[in-house]
Amino acid sequence: MFSVEETIAGTEAAQIPKQRGESLLETAVRYAEERHWDVFPGTWLEPADGVQRCSCGDPACAVPGAHPAREDWATQATGSATVARRMWQKQPTASILLPTGRTFDAISVPETAGFLALARMERMELTLGPVTLTPARRMHFFVLPGASVKLPELVRKLGWSPSSLDLVALGEGAYVAGPPTRFGSSGAVQWACRPTPANRWLPDVEELISPLAYACGRDR
């Protein structure tokens, strides 16, 4: 089975993942500039009583520093590098959030199922899009928009009930956190499969659904 380090190290280096030591501002700008992804700034972490608290002010926040800071976040999201730079200059430590349903949808699965699926996809020689690994132990597979509409029927055709698998499509109205956004003290979002020139063109959910559904079925 893959490990995060093996998966990341084994993927071709590209411009975008030059994030070690890089500011959130510059990373957000490059997501917009190099990948043409819409981005918007979310909440951020603030030190309080020796711990990192979410800027939303809720001490019990489920995803501290990694959720929208305002209700109209969908209208705030931008694909302009210039606008992105301006927004992060106002709050340089804001999380980087990427709306789904625009340039990509995301298929969310548990971490264990995600790594099993990655191993099967490699054996099948499938071309993957970027994949993130979150501190909440979820993996997000980036696919072409429209996956959220197609997913239930695709799962049924494979013999599964959509409600029986922990397999969720994030489309219009949802978002994912982009690396290196931090989830409080739990850690940062990482690339399990980095953005590269080779995966600039995303796969359709139909190409990945079989190994993903199989892995989620095994992980139940």
Side-chain angles (χ1 to χ4, degrees), residues 58-104:
D58 181 1
C61 182
V63 281
H67 63 87
R70 42 195 281 185
E71 292 185 2
D72 64 342
W73 61 263
T75 62
Q76 184 189 23
T78 180
S80 164
T82 301
V83 175
R85 181 177 298 277
R86 190 180 307 133
M87 289 194 294
W88 266 270
Q89 282 174 338
K90 293 179 181 177
Q91 182 47 253
T93 58
S95 52
I96 302 172
L97 303 181
L98 312 171
T100 50
R102 300 188 182 190
T103 51
F104 64 87

Side-chain angles (χ1 to χ4, degrees), residues 53-62:
R53 303 275 191 191
C54 185
S55 62
C56 72
D58 181 1
C61 182

Side-chain angles (χ1 to χ4, degrees), residues 11-17 35 128-130 193-201:
T11 310
E12 179 186 351
Q15 290 176 301
I16 281 185
R35 206 72 181 190
L128 289 177
C193 288
R194 301 173 182 269
T196 71
N199 66 21
R200 181 172 294 278
W201 302 104

Side-chain angles (χ1 to χ4, degrees), residues 68-147:
R70 42 195 281 185
E71 292 185 2
D72 64 342
W73 61 263
T75 62
Q76 184 189 23
T78 180
S80 164
T82 301
V83 175
R85 181 177 298 277
R86 190 180 307 133
M87 289 194 294
W88 266 270
Q89 282 174 338
K90 293 179 181 177
Q91 182 47 253
T93 58
S95 52
I96 302 172
L97 303 181
L98 312 171
T100 50
R102 300 188 182 190
T103 51
F104 64 87
D105 278 3
I107 306 300
S108 175
V109 300
E111 174 188 304
T112 49
F115 280 121
L116 175 60
L118 281 176
R120 289 179 67 84
M121 290 172 187
E122 182 183 60
R123 290 196 296 271
M124 295 167 70
E125 299 184 345
L126 295 178
T127 300
L128 289 177
V131 182
T132 62
L133 173 63
T134 78
R137 304 183 74 83
R138 303 289 298 184
M139 293 179 76
H140 294 138
F141 290 72
F142 288 23
V143 295
L144 288 172

Side-chain angles (χ1 to χ4, degrees), residues 27-66:
T27 304
V29 167
R30 290 195 300 110
Y31 284 157
E33 192 168 59
E34 297 176 9
R35 206 72 181 190
H36 305 298
W37 289 339
D38 283 6
V39 296
F40 68 97
T43 52
W44 57 92
L45 297 172
E46 299 176 331
D49 301 322
V51 297
Q52 295 288 314
R53 303 275 191 191
C54 185
S55 62
C56 72
D58 181 1
C61 182
V63 281

